[in-house]
Amino acid sequence: MADGGAPAARGSSRGVLIRDDWPGFPLHLFSFPKHYAEDLECVLIPHGIIMDRTERLARDIMSDLGDHDIVVLCVLKGGYQFCSDLVEVIKALSRTSERSLLMRVDFIRLHSYLNDQSTEDLHIVGPEDLSILSGKNVLIVEGIVDTGKTMKALLKHVVTFQPKMVKVAGLLVKRVASGVGSLPDYVGFEIPNRFVVGYALDYNEYFRDLSHICVISDDGKRKYKV
């Protein structure tokens, strides 16, 4: 934890570092749906901080990819809120700066979790035929990357359609011992190995209606376990 009780920050490709000993913010300091009152441990990243970091990532993407046509490939469902907010900021920057970024947005859905455990099976739901990516600059937008196995499999799938370039923006990267592959090109936050929900990240389809990114409690896991 940094001085003053805030998570440490650093300027690097790994994003904003949230250390393992960061306890998070007490729930009573924030507004959230009352039906989750017993299901959360803490607020790990408040919504306002998410939005500020998203704006910074959008500016970095504009700096790198501005004046190119890109296809934004949103990974559903956990990435939809981050992708939506990121695209909105890029659109605003395109209107107000000398550089612009012409975007087309498409979607792909992946499923690899059972309760709070990542499984070996990756299921691609939706448009498996991504021939629209052929010869295009592609920006994959993902809500969270943990072991990296899902992202590695998705990248392997995407490159079969011969895109011109592929970049990855991940809001969260989780520090896990079993991590494989490389980091996303654009990282919002590097977080401890804790199961987080909110801002479209779910636990068995619950908690997507949280604005903040929170740590789920053991009671919450038991309550919504399938």
Side-chain angles (χ1 to χ4, degrees):
M1 188 185 303
D3 294 340
R10 66 182 178 208
S12 76
S13 61
R14 298 180 71 92
V16 176
L17 171 67
I18 299 179
R19 295 177 176 170
D20 289 340
D21 59 358
W22 166 238
F25 296 98
L27 293 170
H28 72 268
L29 298 177
F30 298 89
S31 297
F32 60 93
K34 291 183 179 179
H35 49 261
Y36 292 140
E38 305 301 323
D39 306 327
L40 304 170
E41 287 186 9
C42 65
V43 174
L44 191 68
I45 311 174
H47 182 258
I49 295 177
I50 297 170
M51 296 304 295
D52 281 357
R53 182 63 183 146
T54 298
E55 180 178 348
R56 179 68 262 178
L57 292 178
R59 291 182 181 277
D60 292 342
I61 291 167
M62 281 287 291
S63 177
D64 293 344
L65 305 179
D67 298 327
H68 288 79
D69 296 354
I70 67 168
V71 177
V72 176
L73 186 62
C74 176
V75 180
L76 298 173
K77 297 180 184 176
Y80 81 81
Q81 191 63 65
F82 174 48
C83 184
S84 175
D85 290 336
L86 184 67
V87 166
E88 284 302 313
V89 177
I90 292 174
K91 285 164 56 178
L93 292 173
S94 292
R95 291 194 300 267
T96 58
S97 66
E98 295 182 357
R99 307 188 77 183
S100 63
L101 193 59
L102 178 62
M103 294 179 294
R104 172 177 174 176
V105 181
D106 216 320
F107 304 88
I108 190 168
R109 183 178 174 186
L110 308 178
H111 182 71
S112 63
Y113 262 85
L114 179 64
N115 295 317
D116 62 345
Q117 299 297 315
S118 179
T119 68
E120 295 293 328
D121 297 326
L122 172 67
H123 302 285
I124 298 176
V125 183
E128 293 191 24
D129 180 10
L130 296 173
S131 56
I132 60 164
L133 304 182
S134 178
K136 301 292 197 309
N137 297 308
V138 180
L139 178 67
I140 297 174
V141 180
E142 173 66 287
I144 186 168
V145 177
D146 44 29
T147 65
K149 294 176 182 178
T150 300
M151 182 54 63
K152 185 176 181 180
L154 176 57
L155 285 169
K156 184 177 180 181
H157 180 65
V158 167
V159 298
T160 62
F161 298 98
Q162 299 182 321
K164 181 179 179 181
M165 176 186 68
V166 180
K167 297 286 188 179
V168 179
L171 177 63
L172 305 178
V173 170
K174 188 183 293 186
R175 289 189 299 277
V176 293
S178 58
V180 297
S182 58
L183 287 169
D185 302 280
Y186 307 98
V187 178
F189 303 86
E190 181 188 315
I191 67 172
N193 188 14
R194 306 174 75 182
F195 198 92
V196 294
V197 293
Y199 196 66
L201 301 174
D202 77 304
Y203 178 80
N204 293 329
E205 297 300 326
Y206 291 93
F207 300 99
R208 296 195 196 275
D209 51 339
L210 278 170
S211 297
H212 315 293
I213 292 175
C214 301
V215 177
I216 188 174
S217 67
D218 289 339
D219 287 343
K221 291 179 182 180
R222 286 191 292 267
K223 182 177 178 180
Y224 298 108
K225 185 176 181 179
V226 296

